[in-house]
Amino acid sequence: MDNLWISQLEPADRKRIEPHLSEKAFTAGQMLYDAGEAVDEVWFPMRGVVSLMTVLPDDRMVETAAIGREGLVGVTCGPLNARAASRAVSQLDGVAACCPADVFSAALEKSEAMRMALAKFTESLFAQVQQTAACNAQHKLDERLARWLLTLHDRADDDRFNLTQQDIAGMLGVRRATVSEVGAELEGRHLIKRGRGWVEVLNRKELEQAACGCYSMMRGVMKDLGVPRPRHGQ
């Protein structure tokens, strides 16, 4: 199982959900569910990245959390089978193992270990949401962009991923022209390389130094809680 959250479960707990899993591919920009919708399926990404988006009254959106193969999407927006508080949108192409929400709920009722694993992941996700909100409010855009690219790089399968300037602007809640300026600055420092519809991380170590402290703080929370962490910066 390529999903780290499932792979760390005890064998008996994996058996509670694995027979009910179905594999589903998703593409960049695909909405898995919208804010206000009933969530009837839990997604366990095996590849790709899913962003949780807060929708504003004027229909603008901003990313508040990113989830890859270290976690799950669908029960962290509210109680099981409740309506979602945020919009889940694929950021990079990927594939997930999907489980009916009622099956997952029944498995949780039978296993304290599963409930604890979910609680730890949810706590780390909420910490990411809170840290992202503070970061967006207080830190300079170049630091925020570096932090966001590192978060995505952690969960991507390659150093290069398909992203447009508009994609990045939408995630950070800023204008496209502003992203272009700041991206050029990071590119001029040879930290990243950009092309039409893609971005490549060239110097991971120096990109971490260019990011604000929010990135390392969020990874520290995951480590302290003992939840799976993405592949980079272990």
Side-chain angles (χ1 to χ4, degrees):
M1 168 57 66
D2 290 334
N3 179 271
L4 299 178
W5 191 87
I6 291 180
S7 67
Q8 287 199 348
L9 295 175
E10 294 295 329
D13 288 333
R14 290 201 300 271
K15 289 180 181 178
R16 299 183 196 276
I17 60 174
E18 284 182 338
H20 305 279
L21 297 176
S22 60
E23 188 172 297
K24 292 186 179 181
F26 51 82
T27 57
Q30 179 180 338
M31 183 169 63
L32 306 188
Y33 55 78
D34 202 0
E37 289 185 351
V39 180
D40 57 5
E41 199 166 34
V42 182
W43 297 65
F44 299 91
M46 297 184 288
R47 293 190 301 278
V49 182
V50 177
S51 295
L52 298 186
M53 311 293 297
T54 295
V55 183
L56 303 175
D58 59 2
D59 289 333
R60 289 184 300 161
M61 300 183 296
V62 64
E63 184 195 66
T64 52
I67 302 170
R69 62 192 294 262
E70 81 282 359
L72 59 158
V73 180
V75 297
T76 50
C77 299
L80 284 176
N81 303 317
R83 296 189 180 278
S86 59
R87 179 178 294 174
V89 179
S90 170
Q91 191 59 234
L92 299 177
D93 293 349
V95 62
C98 296
C99 180
D102 57 348
V103 171
F104 188 67
S105 178
L108 288 174
E109 290 181 3
K110 296 175 181 177
S111 172
E112 182 178 355
M114 282 189 71
R115 293 195 297 273
M116 180 60 69
L118 179 60
K120 288 181 176 181
F121 173 74
T122 301
E123 185 172 339
S124 72
L125 186 66
F126 284 171
Q128 184 183 164
V129 170
Q130 292 174 321
Q131 198 69 43
T132 299
C135 181
N136 288 342
Q138 297 295 328
H139 291 147
K140 297 186 300 181
L141 184 56
D142 61 330
E143 295 176 326
R144 291 166 53 197
L145 178 56
R147 183 263 302 167
W148 185 79
L149 289 172
L150 287 167
T151 300
L152 197 64
H153 190 228
D154 284 344
R155 295 161 174 82
D157 293 326
D158 201 351
D159 293 334
R160 175 170 164 169
F161 25 86
N162 295 329
L163 282 176
T164 66
Q165 300 291 331
Q166 190 59 50
D167 292 334
I168 300 172
M171 292 299 105
L172 297 177
V174 298
R175 294 184 304 113
R176 177 180 174 179
T178 306
V179 168
S180 181
E181 278 181 30
V182 177
E185 180 184 335
L186 295 181
E187 189 170 26
R189 295 160 62 183
H190 305 292
L191 306 184
I192 64 172
K193 185 176 181 180
R194 300 177 301 163
R196 188 174 181 84
W198 57 268
V199 176
E200 182 178 357
V201 174
L202 296 180
N203 192 321
R204 166 86 191 190
K205 184 176 180 180
E206 290 193 14
L207 190 62
E208 289 182 5
Q209 294 175 352
C212 57
C214 294
Y215 173 75
S216 60
M217 288 180 67
M218 286 187 282
R219 288 195 65 90
V221 168
M222 298 179 76
K223 181 179 180 180
D224 291 344
L225 289 170
V227 300
R229 286 179 292 160
R231 65 186 180 98
H232 287 292
Q234 292 290 340

